[in-house]
Amino acid sequence: MYGHVEKLAQEIKKGAESVEGVEAKVFQVAETLPEEVLGKMHAPPKTDAPIITPNELTEADGLLFGFPTRFGMMPAQFKAFLDSTGGLWRTQALAGKPAGFFYSTSAQGSGQETTALTAITQLVHHGMIFVPIGYSFGAGMFEMEQVKGGSPYGAGTYAGDGSRQPSELELAQAFHQGKYFAGFAKKLKGSA
């Protein structure tokens, strides 16, 4: 809603495209809240990223899903999109594709890991391969001198009341996730 996930997505895209031969695209899901409600929430206009359709998921060699957290889970907008993938589920069109997550929460303890954990069920039903970053980000995973989002499940940021923007360290973790994930997806595709 406030652009935090978009900033992480752009950095993930840069990381993915740093892997030779990889092209990454950023999409958004359709908004489900009325304009009146968005106005009351002081939400800025949406980005110009195209709205994704379920069938476009089949065109990718791998998928990284990013979303803000709502009470420790993905928001309704993203859940509505995934609920529309029933046809893909029925044919297992996404089975074997690597996938992962990145996220934004309001504060520490606001569900960075539970958001990923509760989203994994979507991947399981589609037969997708969950690719976390683990501790591959190295020393950045153990940073204790500054507030930092993210976890072994994926890159993340803390938005606070919406005014805090992703830190350089959080953006570096997002870049790393994109590069790490793209390398995995490329290897998987090459072995098929």
Side-chain angles (χ1 to χ4, degrees):
M1 180 174 301
Y2 299 107
H4 297 82
V5 172
E6 161 92 28
K7 284 189 173 90
L8 294 178
Q10 293 301 334
E11 208 58 33
I12 284 171
K13 181 179 190 282
K14 289 178 194 173
E17 290 183 337
S18 74
V19 176
E20 185 178 341
V22 171
E23 175 190 3
K25 297 178 182 177
V26 174
F27 291 91
Q28 62 182 322
V29 298
E31 180 58 71
T32 59
L33 292 175
E35 286 297 323
E36 179 184 348
V37 172
L38 292 170
K40 290 178 181 179
M41 298 173 80
H42 307 289
K46 294 292 182 191
T47 69
D48 58 359
I51 304 294
I52 194 163
T53 64
N55 287 334
E56 287 173 299
L57 296 174
T58 65
E59 298 169 12
D61 295 327
L63 300 157
L64 282 172
F65 299 112
F67 32 75
T69 296
R70 277 317 260 180
F71 305 115
M73 298 182 291
M74 69 178 68
Q77 294 88 335
F78 213 92
K79 181 67 169 72
F81 171 73
L82 289 175
D83 285 348
S84 73
T85 64
L88 300 176
W89 163 78
R90 187 174 57 255
T91 61
Q92 286 295 284
L94 302 177
K97 283 189 187 286
F101 304 111
F102 58 102
Y103 32 77
S104 173
T105 60
S106 63
Q108 296 174 351
S110 291
Q112 295 235 340
E113 289 191 350
T114 59
T115 299
L117 283 169
T118 57
I120 288 172
T121 59
Q122 306 294 317
L123 305 184
V124 170
H125 284 272
H126 278 287
M128 300 174 84
I129 302 166
F130 177 52
V131 182
I133 60 172
Y135 284 85
S136 64
F137 186 48
M141 294 298 290
F142 301 97
E143 171 59 42
M144 298 297 288
E145 299 302 316
Q146 60 178 298
V147 174
K148 180 192 80 66
S151 75
Y153 295 92
T157 187
Y158 295 116
D161 62 1
S163 61
R164 181 188 184 273
Q165 294 302 307
S167 69
E168 289 302 316
L169 185 59
E170 291 168 333
L171 293 173
Q173 185 180 37
F175 182 94
H176 170 76
Q177 183 174 9
K179 184 175 182 177
Y180 179 85
F181 182 83
F184 182 90
K186 185 177 178 180
K187 284 180 194 172
L188 188 64
K189 182 179 181 186
S191 68

